[in-house]
Amino acid sequence: MFNSLTGIITGKFPQKLFIETHGIEWDVTVPDNALDKLPPVGEVGKVYTWMQHTEALMTLFGFASVNDRSLFFDLLKVDGIGPKGALKILSNIESENLAHILDSGDVSVLEKVPGVGKKTAAKMMLQLKGKLTIPENSPVTKQTASPYADVIMALVNMGYDKRSAEVKIEELSQVMEKDNSFSSMSVSAREDALFRRAIVELTQ
């Protein structure tokens, strides 16, 4: 299956993009905010794709970045959210903000998305809170990135809540960095020490 399409953008419509590659014009279903992120009509653009193939139809979905497509896949994991529902969510909430909304527990923002409702918003919180990765080029990431981001991600991959892991690592690092023996360790040794200590405290 193809990963992306690169060609001349020939049309932009609500949740719809036409892109021509080697004489073939593709009809791609996209989140509305992808239309702003992609080049204007007449210029060369690239969309990252995913195809839904059922007995009744084939739909080609497109995204302005790999991260947007990954978030789309994450949303599909939530019971009750299909491709169309995931597209609506990404059309109404910028991908850069979705992780922050979930981590903050702000259900009200999710409930405002057409077709989501309280039950689906609650399921999103339950299944995705603390598990979405903020894009590395996000302004928020640049401002708040932890020097121990790899340790936090390792904890998240083990099933710990992302926000809890961030708070615990911040708390432990402030205490442990006051210890000269810790400060004199290599980067990998400090990360390992923090990781082990965090697991102990998060499971208490």
Side-chain angles (χ1 to χ4, degrees):
M1 183 59 64
F2 43 85
N3 176 61
S4 64
L5 292 173
T6 300
I8 303 294
I9 294 176
T10 55
K12 286 185 175 184
F13 309 93
Q15 293 190 6
K16 185 74 65 178
L17 178 82
F18 292 163
I19 183 169
E20 184 177 334
T21 63
H22 304 293
I24 300 174
E25 188 176 45
W26 301 84
D27 180 343
V28 187
T29 301
V30 299
D32 284 330
N33 52 31
L35 298 172
D36 296 327
K37 296 177 181 178
L38 292 166
V41 172
E43 293 190 9
V44 175
K46 181 175 184 177
V47 289
Y48 295 88
T49 58
W50 176 74
M51 179 173 284
Q52 180 190 29
H53 190 185
T54 66
E55 293 183 2
L57 53 81
M58 286 197 308
T59 304
L60 185 64
F61 291 87
F63 307 89
S65 69
V66 172
N67 184 74
D68 287 355
R69 183 174 62 182
S70 295
L71 287 176
F72 176 80
F73 291 153
D74 285 330
L75 290 169
L76 294 183
K77 297 175 185 176
V78 179
D79 184 34
I81 296 181
K84 290 183 178 180
L87 204 74
K88 282 185 179 180
I89 293 169
L90 291 178
S91 292
N92 285 271
I93 302 174
E94 287 292 335
S95 57
E96 291 83 357
N97 296 331
L98 185 56
H100 295 289
I101 291 170
L102 289 168
D103 288 350
S104 67
D106 194 351
V107 181
S108 62
V109 176
L110 299 175
E111 291 175 357
K112 293 176 183 177
V113 177
V116 172
K118 291 186 177 181
K119 287 186 177 179
T120 302
K123 289 178 182 178
M124 288 176 65
M125 285 292 175
L126 180 64
Q127 292 184 234
L128 299 179
K129 183 178 180 180
K131 296 180 180 178
L132 297 184
T133 303
I134 303 170
E136 291 184 1
N137 60 352
S138 163
V140 178
T141 304
K142 290 179 180 179
Q143 294 169 10
T144 62
S146 167
Y148 300 107
D150 289 344
V151 179
I152 294 169
M153 187 54 61
L155 291 168
V156 171
N157 289 338
M158 289 185 65
Y160 293 102
D161 176 77
K162 184 180 179 183
R163 183 57 186 159
S164 298
E166 289 174 338
V167 171
K168 179 56 65 177
I169 291 299
E170 176 66 21
E171 173 189 306
L172 288 175
S173 64
Q174 289 183 4
V175 174
M176 295 173 73
E177 284 173 357
K178 294 177 181 178
D179 186 333
N180 290 334
S181 62
F182 178 81
S183 299
S184 64
M185 292 179 181
S186 65
V187 173
S188 60
R190 289 200 300 271
E191 289 178 340
D192 184 62
L194 268 173
F195 179 70
R196 293 175 184 275
R197 179 83 173 269
I199 288 177
V200 172
E201 297 204 8
L202 286 169
T203 53
Q204 287 179 346

